[in-house]
Every structure is written in structure tokens, then in C-alpha cells.
Amino acid sequence: MKYDVIIIGGGAAGLFCAIEAGKRGRRTLVIEHNAQVGRKIIISGGGRCNFTNIDVRPENFISGNPHFCKSALARYTPQDFVGLVKKHKIDFYEKTQGQLFCRESSRLIVDMLIDECRKAKVEIVLDCSVKAVRKDDLFELETTRGKYLCTSLIIATGGFSFPKIGATGFGYKIAKQFGLKLTETRPSLVALVLANGNSYTKLAGISVAAAVTTGRHSFRENILFTHRGLSGPAILQISNYWQKEIPVSIDLLPENSAEAILKDKRNSKQTLANFLGTLLPDRFAEGFASANLPDKQLDQLSNREIGRVAEMLNNWEVRFALTEGYDRAEVTLGGVSTNELSSQTMEAKRIAGLHFIGEVVDVTGWLGGYNFQWAWASGFAAGNSV
Ligand SMILES: Cc1cc2nc3c(=O)[nH]c(=O)nc-3n(C[C@H](O)[C@H](O)[C@H](O)COP(=O)(O)OP(=O)(O)OC[C@H]3O[C@@H](n4cnc5c(N)ncnc54)[C@H](O)[C@@H]3O)c2cc1C
């Protein structure tokens, strides 16, 4: 069982790489330990797969080397993937901010990839676990279905997130075995748990439009109160940049200066909670005011109090203790160090023939289709070099 190319992991990056290698006439095998390929694609985007973003830029990715992703992203663009989706007559739409989703089901994306694999004569073996990898002249893989040999080995096993659908740390283990450096990994695109307990449990389920900021990064989307802390798109986005020691700033009135409005209303007999209810959802206003703000009418607030209330509304500083972990995280931040890989081919600089693609690499995208675009683009780069 000798192949030109073996790809471990039949997810987004692995299947895409296999298609490109197969199209170039390479005898290509994908090894997947699940009973089906593309399980993460199937559950992605709430079952509608946000398969790319029209506006993908290097700034949408986090990596030890922010330049690393540029070459692959430039050679396989969102428009290229959209072309493939159109060729397969898959109906899609832009939900918001350039995010493209399937109109029907994410299964159509998996079917498309399987169809392209079939056309490129790619072989896929399911329910197969790789136990050990050795390198001599060729790579030798010991698996639950026997021994396989190959010239080029592609590691496309993804990250740790969502272990219940087959995620493993296998790719990191192989990187370590071959002496490649890893950057620290952690769950990301994930809900965050409040430090010092949650005084907002009554607000669980409420969503509010906000601007969430840490350092130079700011996202203007919804936040969602949960039983343990905060979630929602703005929080998932900020989780990529979150550092435990540094509080996150949440602007609950991003369109307005709270201080200017409060000063304007300083003769009003309205309570702060009622007033807040005119700007924010009622249930939120009530719960937030009772946890954080003085129980007073607007005309009773001193200048100092107005300043403090305004600060709470436009710059609410929130400390988080931890994330909700890999069971809930959409991605793994960190991974195989980009210093170890060629940005053109994804091949390990020190181990000829060994490539890493997709999420296992230290390149993590924002929420919004960026992670799939990285999977397609890095798979394309490797598939065209093997
Ligand atoms: C709930 C959820 C929703 C998401 N929604 C989106 C979205 O809408 N848009 C977006 O851009 N991104 C989304 N993501 C992120 C995106 O799914 C991943 O970034 C992307 O799938 C990574 O592709 P990959 O091929 O590197 O890894 P994966 O897709 O995870 O594929 C890795 C494959 O390797 C297999 N594998 C692992 N270990 C082994 C082993 N030892 N032997 C054999 N096979 C192995 C796994 O079973 C899996 O099939 C979502 C993630 C989650 C968890």
C-alpha cells in the first residue's frame, strides 16, 4: 500500500489538499479515523457552514508570524471557493459582514468535496487510526488497517476543539515527534467565564449589541449573557485576543456618549433603570442597573455619579477567569509554529515531505468563515506542491 501522498485527517483542509494532489496525478490517500469525513463541516455554522468570507485579509488571522498566511491566502481566494460552490450548484447567501453560508445544508459542502475527491481519484479510508509514523526514505504509517507507505505525508488532523466529533491532539504529537516547535495552544472562538462569580445570572439568555475591546482589537456585534459569563459573536471574536490578566472593555452604548445623554437628561425624574430601558432591552436594563448602578432618579445624580455611570455604560471593564474549554470552542489557538513551515508549501523546513495544514498550524481566523478559508487555502498550497 504505497502512495505518493497520504493525508491524515479527512476534514476541510485534508479533503481539499487531497483534491489538488489527486488532480495533479498523485496517487493520494486520505486516512480518517471517524466513520465519515467532514464531521466538523457538517455541524459548522449551525448546520449551514459559513464556508468563507468575501473579505478575507491577513489581519483576520492570529499567528506567531502574521505574514505567514499571506502567500496561501493570495493563491486560493474566497472567490475561487465560491466558484467551486457555484459549479456544484450549491445555493448560498451572505448573512452579515461578508459571511457566506449554505442556504440548505452544510452536508452539501461535504458532498461537494467527496465528489471532487472521486473525480480526482483520491482514495479515502474510514475508521482507520494511525498508531505510529516513521520516516526512512519513505514515511511508514502503522495503522489499524495495516501498513501504508508514502513519499509525502500531510498532517491535517485539526486542533483539540470538539473532541466529541473526533478532534485529537495527534497532529501536535507528530510535530513533537519530528522535533518541530509548537506555540502554546488554548481554546478559542469560545464563551468566557466571569472572574469572581457571576452577578448577572438573571440576565442569562439576553443578547445586547455592544463594542467589545481588548488592546488594539475591537468587535462590534452582539454579546450574550450565559449562566457562567458571556458569549455571543463579539465575545467569541475577542476570545482570540483575550489575556487573563487584562480586563475586556465593553461599550454597551457604542453609538452614544452616555455622559452627554445623562447630562442632557439631568432634570428628569426617571430612575436610572427606566432610563436605561429606553436605550437597551428592558430586562437587561433592569438586571444591569440593579447589579451595577445607584438606585436613583436622573435628577439626583451628582456629576461624579454621572461620570461613574457613564463609565459603566461606555467602558464596562469585565474580568474573565477562563474559557468554556475545548468542548465548546470552535477552534484551537496556537499550534505548529509557522517558523517550522514553508509558507509556500506548508512543508516542514527540516523534514522533507512532511506537511501541516489547516487548524493544526499556528494560524487562527476570526469568526465568520475565515477558518474554513484558511483550511482551503493551506490545503491548496500543500496539494499543489507534493
Ligand atoms: C461547532 C463549530 C462550528 C464551526 N463553524 C465554522 C464556520 O461556520 N466557519 C468557519 O470558517 N469555521 C468554523 N469552525 C471552525 C472550522 O470547523 C475548523 O477551523 C476547520 O474545520 C479546520 O479544518 P481542519 O481540516 O484543519 O480540521 P478538521 O475539520 O477538524 O478535520 C480534522 C480531521 O482529522 C480527523 N482526525 C483527527 N485525528 C485523527 C487521527 N489521529 N487519525 C485520523 N483522523 C484524525 C478528524 O476526525 C477530522 O475529520 C467551526 C468549528 C466548530 C467546532
Side-chain angles (χ1 to χ4, degrees):
M1 292 197 279
K2 185 168 171 268
Y3 289 83
D4 296 324
V5 183
I6 292 185
I7 296 160
I8 309 182
L15 293 173
F16 209 75
C17 178
I19 294 163
E20 292 304 314
K23 280 201 292 204
R24 293 172 54 247
R26 302 293 184 268
R27 188 164 182 232
T28 304
L29 174 75
V30 176
I31 297 180
E32 168 59 52
H33 71 164
N34 280 336
Q36 61 179 150
V37 292
R39 283 195 69 187
K40 213 174 256 181
I41 302 175
I42 290 172
I43 62 160
S44 70
R48 298 275 192 277
C49 185
N50 177 196
F51 54 79
T52 192
N53 192 296
I54 302 169
D55 189 23
V56 166
R57 299 160 196 231
E59 301 83 79
N60 304 125
F61 296 84
I62 298 100
S63 170
N65 174 1
H67 303 291
F68 181 83
C69 62
K70 288 181 179 171
S71 165
L73 292 173
R75 278 181 294 142
Y76 192 81
T77 65
Q79 289 66 33
D80 292 326
F81 195 77
V82 167
L84 185 64
V85 168
K86 282 185 178 163
K87 191 176 115 192
H88 282 257
K89 300 195 173 15
I90 298 173
D91 203 4
F92 63 92
Y93 69 104
E94 181 184 344
K95 192 170 180 185
T96 172
Q97 302 183 11
Q99 302 168 7
L100 301 187
F101 281 75
C102 294
R103 206 172 277 287
E104 286 173 36
S105 162
S106 45
R107 278 177 193 279
L108 296 173
I109 298 291
V110 178
D111 292 346
M112 174 185 89
L113 296 171
I114 293 174
D115 187 47
E116 290 289 323
C117 278
R118 189 183 47 74
K119 284 190 218 150
K121 299 193 167 44
V122 170
E123 292 174 46
I124 299 177
V125 56
L126 300 171
D127 287 320
C128 179
S129 286
V130 182
K131 289 195 208 147
V133 174
R134 279 180 290 276
K135 182 171 181 347
D136 208 342
D137 281 346
L138 299 175
F139 289 95
E140 187 179 310
L141 279 63
E142 201 186 301
T143 80
T144 47
R145 289 177 180 266
K147 198 184 273 183
Y148 292 91
L149 297 169
C150 61
T151 313
S152 300
L153 179 64
I154 318 269
I155 308 297
T157 44
F160 289 116
S161 32
F162 270 57
K164 65 184 170 205
I165 58 161
T168 67
F170 186 80
Y172 309 122
K173 196 177 117 191
I174 295 293
K176 274 189 204 152
Q177 179 191 326
F178 284 95
L180 308 190
K181 288 199 184 70
L182 298 173
T183 62
E184 198 185 325
T185 50
R186 74 156 205 237
S188 205
L189 296 185
V190 64
L192 299 173
V193 177
L194 285 164
N196 313 318
N198 184 1
S199 13
Y200 305 98
T201 43
K202 277 192 198 149
L203 300 183
I206 297 179
S207 181
V208 182
V212 181
T213 305
T214 188
R216 294 182 291 114
H217 302 282
S218 195
F219 295 91
R220 231 173 126 157
E221 289 184 69
N222 279 2
I223 59 170
L224 171 73
F225 286 79
T226 68
H227 287 285
R228 298 192 345 133
L230 293 177
S231 184
I235 295 295
L236 299 196
Q237 297 283 28
I238 219 72
S239 69
N240 267 338
Y241 298 101
W242 170 65
Q243 289 172 277
K244 195 171 175 184
E245 317 73 50
I246 302 174
V248 167
S249 160
I250 301 184
D251 186 348
L252 294 162
L253 296 172
E255 310 281 348
N256 298 299
S257 152
E259 183 159 9
I261 306 181
L262 288 166
K263 283 192 169 155
D264 197 45
K265 297 259 176 193
R266 72 178 327 154
N267 295 324
S268 165
K269 300 260 175 244
Q270 247 181 338
T271 63
L272 249 177
N274 281 346
F275 164 69
L276 216 54
T278 63
L279 301 167
L280 291 158
D282 269 342
R283 230 182 98 211
F284 170 76
E286 226 178 278
F288 189 79
S290 73
N292 294 314
L293 307 179
D295 181 17
K296 284 189 170 177
Q297 292 176 186
L298 299 186
D299 62 353
Q300 294 168 338
L301 295 175
S302 66
N303 276 343
R304 222 160 131 207
E305 282 171 320
I306 286 181
R308 274 209 302 267
V309 171
E311 184 73 4
M312 276 304 288
L313 296 175
N314 282 135
N315 182 23
W316 177 33
E317 289 207 336
V318 182
R319 284 185 187 275
F320 296 103
L322 65 159
T323 75
E324 288 285 5
Y326 285 117
D327 285 350
R328 306 266 189 91
E330 288 203 7
V331 291
T332 300
L333 191 73
V336 178
S337 168
T338 50
N339 291 336
E340 300 282 5
L341 307 176
S342 151
S343 62
Q344 306 285 311
T345 63
M346 305 292 137
E347 186 175 15
K349 290 175 188 165
R350 293 183 284 142
I351 315 285
L354 180 65
H355 298 66
F356 290 82
I357 56 172
E359 197 179 314
V360 72
V361 179
D362 174 28
V363 173
T364 306
W366 288 6
L367 185 78
Y370 302 98
N371 285 295
F372 277 135
Q373 189 58 36
W374 170 246
W376 318 134
S378 58
F380 182 88
N384 278 287
S385 78
V386 285

